Amino acid sequence: MCKPTVIARKGNIAVTQCVNCKMVNIWNKGVLISFTFSQFSSFVEVTNDLDFDNYLENSPDGVEIVVLATPYPDISLVFTREEWYNFFSALAEATYMQEIYRMVHS
Ligand SMILES: [Zn+2]
C-alpha cells in the first residue's frame, strides 16, 4: 500500500516519497514528476551544479526563465528564478531527508 510522506516543501514545490514503492514524487503546481529512488538521485546529481544565470532564456511573455530537460523525452520543466531556487532547495532538502530515513529505517 502507498504511504507517501512529505520529505520537503519549498514555495509551490513539495517532494513526497513512498518507501513501499521506492518512488519519489515532485509536485509543482500542475506538474507531477515521478522517479524511482535511483532515478531521483541521478537527477539530483546531474542537476546539482546548474546555475540559473548560465541557462537564461526568455519566455514568450518576456520573463527570464530556464528550461530544464527531464528524463522523459519531449517534456521539459520551465522555471522562473524563484521557482528554480525553490525547486533545488526542495530537492536538496529531500535528499537530506532520504539520508535520515535510510539511517533510521535500515
Ligand atoms: Zn507506494
Side-chain angles (χ1 to χ4, degrees):
M1 210 180 78
C2 252
K3 281 196 180 165
T5 312
V6 178
I7 53 173
R9 203 190 283 279
K10 274 275 157 35
N12 288 320
I13 312 281
V15 183
T16 60
Q17 75 171 7
C18 174
V19 287
N20 292 338
C21 319
K22 304 205 180 321
M23 292 292 291
V24 175
N25 287 320
I26 305 176
W27 307 76
N28 179 15
K29 290 181 286 187
V31 180
L32 171 60
I33 317 171
S34 302
F35 296 96
T36 63
F37 280 9
S38 61
Q39 283 172 333
F40 181 70
S41 23
S42 324
F43 183 72
V44 169
E45 209 168 288
V46 166
T47 55
N48 209 8
D49 295 328
L50 299 182
D51 186 351
F52 187 87
D53 290 299
N54 293 343
Y55 300 92
L56 271 188
E57 294 178 41
N58 283 308
S59 78
D61 308 325
V63 178
E64 285 189 332
I65 49 136
V66 167
V67 176
L68 183 70
T70 70
Y72 307 97
D74 300 335
I75 300 192
S76 301
L77 301 173
V78 179
F79 299 93
T80 63
R81 189 177 294 274
E82 190 191 357
E83 289 164 347
W84 179 267
Y85 171 77
N86 286 336
F87 186 81
F88 287 105
S89 305
L91 291 199
E93 193 181 317
T95 303
Y96 176 74
M97 287 308 292
Q98 280 191 315
E99 292 298 321
I100 306 279
Y101 276 91
R102 221 166 276 148
M103 285 192 281
V104 172
H105 294 293
S106 59

